[in-house]
Amino acid sequence: MKLSVPFFSSSSGKKEISRERKKSKNGKSSSFSSTASSSSSSSDECTNVTTPRTVLPPSASEVTKTTKPAPVTRQDLEIALRRVVSSEEELAEMLADAAGSAILLEEIAVEAQQAADEGELKETFAVFDADGDGRISAEELMAVLASLGDDRCSVEDCRRMIGGVDVDGDGFVCFNEFSRMMTQGV
């Protein structure tokens, strides 16, 4: 494989550096060598070969800055606990507690996400519910659509849209119907 890199020198003009892989006795590539060919009549040769700074993987401090730590597995926890507990019964009890805590933390995270989602839905619903009565009328829907630049929808069009999600048939969209429509795409 040849790589050509233009090289500019103040004394000899433009030069090219080409690198070829050297072949060892068994035919495998072992290193790079540098040869220079001049496009001018100068006989200067460039033998400067750039070597990598390191071939070692990044240090632990560099890795933690850019990546998240791996989760602790049950096996990792068991190995660590075996060093501090005195009996298999105590180990089993601690592992069961840890498993229960993990499930509880996951449930808490799901509930927190649902509460955040519901808060966002309430804020969005409030944009449509201009009079704050807890339901969206065809007129309110038409006003929001007009504010978004859609002047083509009539009140009748908005009533048909509301009819598509109005479960209780009262002609309005309440928060539960709105929430179901937004989360399930109904």
Side-chain angles (χ1 to χ4, degrees), residues 44-178:
D44 291 0
E45 289 190 19
C46 179
T47 58
N48 185 12
V49 176
T50 305
T51 57
R53 287 184 166 182
T54 182
V55 294
L56 298 175
S59 69
S61 63
E62 292 171 340
V63 170
T64 56
K65 290 177 186 174
T66 59
T67 60
K68 293 182 180 180
V72 177
T73 65
R74 179 181 168 86
Q75 184 180 11
D76 294 336
L77 183 59
E78 186 174 342
I79 290 169
L81 288 175
R82 283 191 185 278
R83 296 179 182 168
V84 295
V85 298
S86 58
S87 69
E88 288 295 319
E89 292 169 353
E90 189 177 7
L91 174 66
E93 184 180 319
M94 292 180 96
L95 287 172
D97 288 345
S101 296
I103 292 169
L104 180 62
L105 288 175
E106 187 175 320
E107 289 173 359
I108 290 171
V110 168
E111 288 175 9
Q113 182 61 46
Q114 288 172 345
D117 291 346
E118 186 174 333
E120 290 176 19
L121 281 174
K122 285 183 178 180
E123 289 176 14
T124 306
F125 182 80
V127 170
F128 286 91
D129 183 19
D131 62 6
D133 66 352
R135 51 193 197 159
I136 301 170
S137 67
E139 291 79 12
E140 289 171 321
L141 177 59
M142 188 176 82
V144 171
L145 292 174
S147 72
L148 295 173
D150 188 1
D151 295 328
R152 298 172 303 177
C153 285
S154 67
V155 174
E156 284 306 313
D157 293 332
C158 292
R159 284 192 181 117
R160 279 193 293 276
M161 285 186 241
I162 287 175
V165 295
D166 184 16
V167 175
D168 59 10
D170 65 354
F172 298 95
V173 177
C174 68
F175 179 74
N176 289 338
E177 293 165 337
F178 180 79

